[in-house]
């Protein structure tokens, strides 16, 4: 039974920030850890498509693009439900009576589009056994960190971020929820040579959205006419998504996401890190970045 988003119960829903636990050394919400057995044993269908990313890399953007592709540019169909109901968040274990990601997925008919923030080593093995397609979205570390900090300020679904300085160090040491950004992007980068993984950069979507949509379209074996492609581009701009209640998370109760603290669709730009990083922080970050990323073959752009 779907949980009615406009019900008084939902709107009065109060959420406590979660305790953190670990699965195989990866920091995760304790509720996810408690449900881990079921998550790990998730049964994927060969037609399922998994959308994966480290938090705040732009997965909501990709969800809208993929939904528009599946709905062949029919915006009304994409307005049928909020993002989080259209694409179950695989490992999400919200407090009852909100359904978990697994429950939502089980209620859906394949082909399902599912979302995850899990690092590669924690992806339920069924996805690989079924040879499912995965679209991974990666965003440069500095902007991801800034976006994640503001997100943790506004959502009760994650621990309090603390001060910017502490948060900055936690990001570098890999202790934020879902673990190390470095391990995440590198793990998935290697996985693309082994599995059906399309690796997409947020910055490339900012530079040329049409081109990246075309890449996604052909990965999904779709061939849409030019006017549909144009419609998808228009529907998935930052401004369009910021104004779209089915994409901007304003359907969440304010007790879960308080958009007066920071909007979910915050800035949507490349290079906002320059407004946050102190000179010394930037030097430390660059030093650690070089140490972790040299030789990986991964090249991110931090300004356009
Ligand atoms: P900012 O906080 O930097 O604005 P996720 O969906 O993975 O949680 O990522 C959210 C980030 O993606 C936010 O970044 C959000 O503004 C940005 N985003 C969402 N839709 C976007 C779009 N259409 N264009 C550009 N950025 C978008």
């Amino acid at each position: 039974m779907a949980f009615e988003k406009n019900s008084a119960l939902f709107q009065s829903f109060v959420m406590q920030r979660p305790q953190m636990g670990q699965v195989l050394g990866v920091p995760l919400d304790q509720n996810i850890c408690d449900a881990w057995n079921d998550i790990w044993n998730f049964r994927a269908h060969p037609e399922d498509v998994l959308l994966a990313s480290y938090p705040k890399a732009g997965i909501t953007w990709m969800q809208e693009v993929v939904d528009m592709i599946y709905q062949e540019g029919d915006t009304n169909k994409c307005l049928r439900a909020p993002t989080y109901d259209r694409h179950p968040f695989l490992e999400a274990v919200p407090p009852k009576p909100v359904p978990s990601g697994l429950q939502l997925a089980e209620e859906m008919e394949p082909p399902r589009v599912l979302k995850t923030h899990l690092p590669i080593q924690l992806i339920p093995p069924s996805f690989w056994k079924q040879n499912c397609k995965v679209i991974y979205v990666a965003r440069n570390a500095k902007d991801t960190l800034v976006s994640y900090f503001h997100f943790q300020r506004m959502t009760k679904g994650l621990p309090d971020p603390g001060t910017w300085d502490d948060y900055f160090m936690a990001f570098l040491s890999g202790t934020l929820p879902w673990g190390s950004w470095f391990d995440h992007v590198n793990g998935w980068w290697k996985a693309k040579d082994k599995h059906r993984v399309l690796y997409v950069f947020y910055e490339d979507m900012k530079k040329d959205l049409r081109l990246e949509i075309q890449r996604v379209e052909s990965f999904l074996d779709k061939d849409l006419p030019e006017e549909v492609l144009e419609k998808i581009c228009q529907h998935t701009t930052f401004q369009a998504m910021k104004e779209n209640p089915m994409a901007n998370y304003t359907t969440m109760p304010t007790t879960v996401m308080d958009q007066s603290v920071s909007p979910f669709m915050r800035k949507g730009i490349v290079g906002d890190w320059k407004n946050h990083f102190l000179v010394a922080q930037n030097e430390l970050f660059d030093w650690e970045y070089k140490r972790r990323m040299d030789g990986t073959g991964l090249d991110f752009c931090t300004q356009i």
Side-chain angles (χ1 to χ4, degrees), residues 54-55 139-146 148-149 165-176 179-182 277 285 288-289 292:
Y54 189 78
R139 185 183 193 181
N140 82 76
K142 292 179 179 179
D143 284 327
T144 300
L145 161 50
V146 169
Y148 206 179
F149 175 65
D165 288 353
D166 288 348
Y167 196 81
F168 178 91
M169 294 310 293
F171 183 93
L172 283 185
S173 55
T175 54
L176 296 181
S180 157
W181 176 91
F182 299 97
F277 280 43
F285 200 97
E288 178 65 1
Y289 191 88
R292 301 292 302 271

Side-chain angles (χ1 to χ4, degrees), residues 53-63 115 117 139 143 146-148 150-151 202 206 209 235-242 249 262-269 272:
S53 79
Y54 189 78
K56 310 319 289 177
I59 203 161
T60 313
W61 192 3
M62 183 56 77
Q63 286 175 267
K115 161 189 164 177
H117 287 321
R139 185 183 193 181
D143 284 327
V146 169
S147 181
Y148 206 179
H150 289 296
F151 183 63
Y202 176 96
K206 285 296 295 185
L209 181 56
H235 182 78
T236 56
T237 62
F238 178 72
Q239 204 49 40
M241 284 185 57
K242 192 177 172 68
Y249 278 85
S262 179
F264 185 90
M265 295 290 167
R266 197 181 56 88
K267 288 194 180 175
I269 58 171
D272 189 36

Side-chain angles (χ1 to χ4, degrees), residues 13-54:
F13 183 68
V14 179
M15 195 161 176
Q16 304 293 336
R17 287 185 183 270
Q19 298 293 313
M20 293 299 287
Q22 285 194 355
V23 173
L24 295 176
V26 177
L28 291 170
D29 176 335
Q30 186 59 50
N31 297 307
I32 300 179
C33 302
D34 293 344
W36 186 249
N37 220 20
D38 290 339
I39 296 167
W40 181 250
N41 289 312
F42 176 75
R43 289 214 305 267
H45 184 274
E47 296 301 312
D48 288 341
V49 173
L50 185 63
L51 308 183
S53 79
Y54 189 78

